Amino acid sequence: MAKLDIITLPDRKLRMKSMPVERVDDDLRRLMDSMLETMYAAPGIGLAGIQVNVPRRIVTIDVAKREDESAEPEPMFLINPEILSSSDERATAEEGCLSIPEYFAEVERAASVRVAYLDRDGKRQEIEADGVLAICLQHEIDHLDGKLFIDHISKLKRDMVIKKFAKQARLGPKPPVL
Ligand SMILES: [Zn+2]
């Protein structure tokens, strides 16, 4: 396993639509293990392939530690995930993204979703999720379609964030803090 580099705004690849996986094999499993390691190290609770420069429909998620730091890890590997249905009920929660570091905003989404996917053995699975997992699934599946959580906030706020990251990129990396 190897830690991968996470791409951030304003990298235009984040806007790409990712391609479906055709075969679940050892190469794919190795890649997803590296994604999981990268996600844990960041640290984050979800990571989509495109965030590590791989435009394929793969996602790793682990929300176990979100509520309880001492909880055992519960990694999920989702291949070609697809939202089958969303609740009419909505929920608002603060979100962040490893590709938009240090920015957080309230986002409204479906409170619960039903998602189909292939697991790491290529077996079809379905889950019904609510709470943090429902938010995370919607956030990560958005990534596969080139969508970011800032697309769900006001245009004014979104433009401010995009401008801030474009400016940072122009100025280059921040000087080291001594
Ligand atoms: Zn994200």
Side-chain angles (χ1 to χ4, degrees):
M1 288 195 280
K3 248 185 78 190
L4 307 166
D5 288 329
I6 297 176
I7 61 171
T8 56
L9 278 185
D11 196 316
R12 298 177 64 88
K13 286 196 283 294
L14 289 168
R15 293 306 191 174
M16 276 176 75
K17 202 171 155 70
S18 295
M19 297 296 286
V21 169
E22 276 166 14
R23 219 179 58 172
V24 180
D25 56 15
D26 284 343
D27 284 345
L28 187 78
R29 279 186 278 272
R30 257 195 298 277
L31 170 64
M32 292 187 82
D33 286 340
S34 296
M35 280 174 59
L36 189 75
E37 189 188 337
T38 304
M39 182 188 88
Y40 284 145
I45 60 170
L47 190 68
I50 191 62
Q51 292 181 275
V52 290
N53 234 327
V54 180
R56 299 172 75 186
R57 301 186 82 81
I58 48 178
V59 165
T60 56
I61 288 178
D62 192 337
V63 296
K65 284 183 193 295
R66 170 89 177 193
E67 264 122 45
D68 176 7
E69 194 43 52
S70 63
E72 285 295 308
E74 284 173 30
M76 290 176 69
F77 300 89
L78 299 100
I79 300 158
N80 299 342
E82 192 188 332
I83 295 178
L84 300 176
S85 60
S86 312
S87 63
D88 291 332
E89 194 197 331
R90 312 281 289 171
T92 303
E94 187 165 70
E95 290 186 31
C97 178
L98 294 174
S99 294
I100 312 174
E102 289 162 45
Y103 181 75
F104 301 89
E106 298 259 303
V107 175
E108 192 197 297
R109 297 184 186 271
S112 64
V113 286
R114 186 163 191 86
V115 173
Y117 62 97
L118 300 178
D119 65 18
R120 60 179 285 138
D121 299 316
K123 251 182 68 191
R124 190 178 188 276
Q125 305 281 355
E126 268 187 42
I127 42 161
E128 181 93 46
D130 58 13
V132 182
L133 182 56
I135 292 164
C136 194
L137 284 164
Q138 292 172 82
H139 178 122
E140 301 310 330
I141 293 171
D142 267 359
H143 271 302
L144 306 181
D145 292 319
K147 268 175 88 172
L148 299 170
F149 83 94
I150 53 172
D151 298 343
H152 297 280
I153 63 177
S154 74
K155 183 174 179 339
L156 186 74
K157 282 197 211 160
R158 179 167 62 250
D159 288 348
M160 266 167 53
V161 183
I162 290 170
K163 235 166 103 180
K164 180 177 153 233
F165 279 89
K167 190 174 161 194
Q168 259 172 25
R170 265 202 313 277
L171 296 175
K174 285 186 195 155
V177 179
L178 300 174

